[in-house]
Amino acid sequence: MSSDRTHDLRRRVLRAGEANPTLDWPGDHEPTTTHFAAIADGNVIGVSTWLLVDGRVQLRGMATDPDEAGRGVGSALLEAGIEHARRIGATDVWANARVTALGFYRKHGFVISGPEFVTGATGLPHRLATFDLA
């Protein structure tokens, strides 16, 4: 899937309130980057982006349409991305996880570590989430 298909959800969910958010992110067009989407009735209802860098996969840009929250869309995207990371031989998956989503990541086996930090792009608190693929 092209990164362009991620832009609407990225804007609405991850960059809500920004007048002119940057939606095309560094790494989006690298040959080692994969974008996943959940689609229902022709509409993109969930997205995630997976970047392979130095044998590790970074998960970012994960978003689910608020109208679809709690229906397993995020879980399906996360599981598909983890399986993808395994297939390409990555050692682990990591993400800068929003503090509000830490329970979701823990539920799926991610380990939360390090201090809370605020990203410049969002102004929201995050923590490091990692998933060992071994």
Side-chain angles (χ1 to χ4, degrees):
M1 179 184 94
S2 140
S3 68
D4 296 349
R5 297 281 313 262
T6 69
H7 291 183
D8 181 58
L9 270 182
R10 283 181 178 180
R11 180 186 47 73
R12 288 190 293 123
V13 176
L14 302 175
R15 299 295 187 260
E18 288 184 32
N20 295 304
T22 300
L23 301 169
D24 201 38
W25 298 340
D28 273 354
H29 303 286
E30 294 297 321
T32 56
T33 298
T34 302
H35 303 279
F36 286 98
I39 299 172
D41 298 324
N43 298 310
V44 175
I45 60 169
V47 295
S48 62
T49 297
W50 304 78
L51 292 82
L52 177 64
V53 179
D54 298 326
R56 303 178 75 207
V57 171
Q58 179 188 7
L59 162 61
R60 68 176 187 190
M62 180 127 170
T64 300
D65 186 309
D67 292 338
E68 302 296 330
R71 296 184 181 172
V73 173
S75 294
L77 286 167
L78 194 61
E79 291 165 13
I82 289 170
E83 183 55 33
H84 164 73
R86 279 192 177 106
R87 275 194 317 272
I88 63 174
T91 59
D92 67 322
V93 172
W94 69 276
N96 291 329
R98 288 184 180 194
V99 168
T100 57
L102 295 180
F104 170 79
Y105 287 103
R106 281 187 183 107
K107 180 176 96 173
H108 290 283
F110 280 73
V111 174
I112 309 304
S113 62
E116 191 173 292
F117 59 93
V118 174
T119 64
T122 66
L124 298 172
H126 290 69
R127 290 193 58 203
L128 178 64
T130 57
F131 186 93
D132 188 352
L133 294 168

